[in-house]
């Protein structure tokens, strides 16, 4: 486990972007697992800035996102496809057909989960997976559970997650109650994992996740067993 303390959010974003850019430079056709939420926005902004300066080339990169809300179209400004397009993909030279996000409007969610797992396998696995962490320890939308065994699946969102995400919607009632997410098993199969955490409200859960018992009650705690984990954090 490689722990990197950042001075502030901008420093965290630069340090995380450094890890991702190094992966792309070392393996231009790499597979990046990407995350949404407020914490990665600065990381994506930094990567876009470096791309515009000519320091990084995304033309051969393939991406797979962790999750998507069930019931939101790709045009909905709260969907994670929309988030990725507007915060990252539309500002770099990535081929959009090589950007993958679970289909939140799938007719059959079970089939969509199987399709997504098959896609990741056919790509040769994820070279670097970017993660944020929820206040209850969730990674992706993997809420506290009774086991770590799941691959891509549908999850009922925890009330604390719904409340945390309500700030992005007009009312809490508009927050979807279900999401499709890569499972813990899928995440752990990534060759490298980069976990980023920002703000004083993440201090306790990071302590539990990285230094407490490994338990599905704290989903991120399984990362203690990952052979190549980097954590960039700032609790200021």
């Amino acid at each position: 486990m490689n722990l990197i303390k950042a001075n502030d959010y901008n420093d965290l974003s630069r340090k995380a972007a450094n890890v991702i850019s190094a992966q792309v430079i070392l393996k231009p056709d790499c597979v990046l697992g990407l995350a949404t939420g407020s914490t990665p926005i600065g990381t994506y902004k930094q990567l876009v800035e470096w791309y515009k300066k000519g320091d990084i080339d995304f033309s051969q990169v393939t991406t797979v996102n962790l999750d998507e809300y069930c019931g939101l179209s790709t045009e909905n400004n709260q969907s994670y496809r929309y988030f990725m397009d507007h915060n990252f993909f539309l500002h770099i030279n990535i081929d959009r057909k090589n950007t993958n996000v679970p289909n939140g409007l799938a007719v059959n969610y079970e089939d969509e989960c199987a399709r997504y797992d098959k896609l990741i396998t056919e790509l040769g696995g994820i070279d670097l997976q970017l993660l944020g962490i929820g206040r209850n320890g969730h990674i992706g939308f993997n809420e506290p559970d009774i086991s770590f065994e799941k691959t891509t699946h549908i999850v009922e969102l925890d009330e604390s997650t719904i409340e945390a995400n309500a700030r992005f919607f007009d009312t809490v009632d508009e927050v979807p109650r279900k999401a499709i997410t890569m499972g813990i098993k899928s995440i752990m199969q990534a060759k490298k994992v980069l976990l980023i955490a920002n703000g004083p409200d993440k201090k306790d859960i990071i302590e539990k996740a990285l230094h407490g018992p490994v338990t599905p009650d704290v989903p991120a705690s399984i990362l203690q067993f990952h052979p190549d984990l980097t954590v960039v954090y700032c609790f200021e």
Side-chain angles (χ1 to χ4, degrees), residues 48-63:
V48 169
E49 185 178 316
W50 287 339
Y51 160 70
K52 288 180 177 178
K53 288 181 178 178
D55 294 335
I56 186 168
D57 176 15
F58 293 96
S59 62
Q60 298 179 60
V61 170
T62 298
T63 67

Side-chain angles (χ1 to χ4, degrees), residues 21-90:
S21 63
Q23 175 65 63
V24 174
I25 291 167
L26 290 170
K27 187 181 180 185
D29 61 348
C30 65
V31 178
L32 297 178
L34 298 180
T36 55
S38 55
T39 306
I41 289 175
T43 301
Y44 294 140
K45 185 178 179 181
Q46 182 66 75
L47 290 169
V48 169
E49 185 178 316
W50 287 339
Y51 160 70
K52 288 180 177 178
K53 288 181 178 178
D55 294 335
I56 186 168
D57 176 15
F58 293 96
S59 62
Q60 298 179 60
V61 170
T62 298
T63 67
V64 285
N65 260 75
L66 281 167
D67 42 28
E68 178 61 282
Y69 285 120
C70 291
L72 296 190
S73 72
T74 57
E75 290 78 29
N76 187 302
N77 65 5
Q78 296 305 324
S79 76
Y80 287 164
R81 163 55 81 176
Y82 186 98
F83 175 100
M84 292 307 305
D85 282 345
H86 289 268
N87 284 288
F88 194 36
F89 297 150
L90 293 177

Side-chain angles (χ1 to χ4, degrees), residues 3-236:
L3 301 177
I4 302 173
K5 182 179 180 181
N7 297 322
D8 53 29
Y9 177 68
N10 288 335
D11 188 42
L12 179 150
S13 298
R14 283 192 300 273
K15 284 177 164 61
N18 267 320
V19 176
I20 295 170
S21 63
Q23 175 65 63
V24 174
I25 291 167
L26 290 170
K27 187 181 180 185
D29 61 348
C30 65
V31 178
L32 297 178
L34 298 180
T36 55
S38 55
T39 306
I41 289 175
T43 301
Y44 294 140
K45 185 178 179 181
Q46 182 66 75
L47 290 169
V48 169
E49 185 178 316
W50 287 339
Y51 160 70
K52 288 180 177 178
K53 288 181 178 178
D55 294 335
I56 186 168
D57 176 15
F58 293 96
S59 62
Q60 298 179 60
V61 170
T62 298
T63 67
V64 285
N65 260 75
L66 281 167
D67 42 28
E68 178 61 282
Y69 285 120
C70 291
L72 296 190
S73 72
T74 57
E75 290 78 29
N76 187 302
N77 65 5
Q78 296 305 324
S79 76
Y80 287 164
R81 163 55 81 176
Y82 186 98
F83 175 100
M84 292 307 305
D85 282 345
H86 289 268
N87 284 288
F88 194 36
F89 297 150
L90 293 177
H91 306 290
I92 57 174
N93 65 332
I94 197 166
D95 188 333
R96 198 172 187 279
K97 75 174 187 295
N98 290 333
T99 64
N100 300 281
V101 180
N103 181 7
L105 293 180
V107 174
N108 185 311
Y109 284 126
E110 201 171 293
D111 288 348
E112 174 61 8
C113 291
R115 181 196 72 81
Y116 211 65
D117 285 334
K118 183 181 178 185
L119 168 70
I120 294 170
T121 299
E122 289 175 346
L123 289 171
I126 296 168
D127 291 299
L128 173 65
Q129 177 65 61
L130 174 65
L131 297 174
I133 185 170
R135 289 195 294 257
N136 64 357
H138 74 244
I139 47 177
F141 269 133
N142 292 283
E143 303 286 16
D145 203 345
I146 58 172
S147 76
F148 290 119
E149 288 302 306
K150 292 177 180 174
T151 52
T152 304
H153 63 287
I154 300 299
V155 62
E156 297 271 354
L157 299 184
D158 192 87
E159 280 302 317
S160 66
T161 302
I162 291 169
E163 289 171 12
N165 289 355
R167 67 189 188 277
F168 301 116
F169 294 81
D170 290 335
T171 69
V172 69
D173 293 333
E174 292 182 18
V175 184
R177 265 48 187 173
K178 292 183 179 181
I180 181 170
T181 183
M182 274 189 224
I184 295 291
K185 189 173 182 180
S186 308
I187 291 168
M188 288 297 286
Q189 289 172 344
K191 299 175 183 71
K192 300 177 184 177
V193 172
L194 170 61
L195 175 66
I196 57 176
N198 181 64
D201 59 331
K202 298 295 176 70
K203 185 175 183 179
D204 287 346
I205 194 59
I206 283 290
E207 181 68 24
K208 288 179 183 177
L210 302 183
H211 304 295
V214 176
T215 168
D217 285 337
V218 182
S221 65
I222 191 66
L223 296 174
Q224 292 181 40
F225 291 149
H226 197 280
D228 193 344
L229 169 66
T230 297
V231 182
V232 184
Y233 66 94
C234 176
F235 301 139
E236 302 303 319

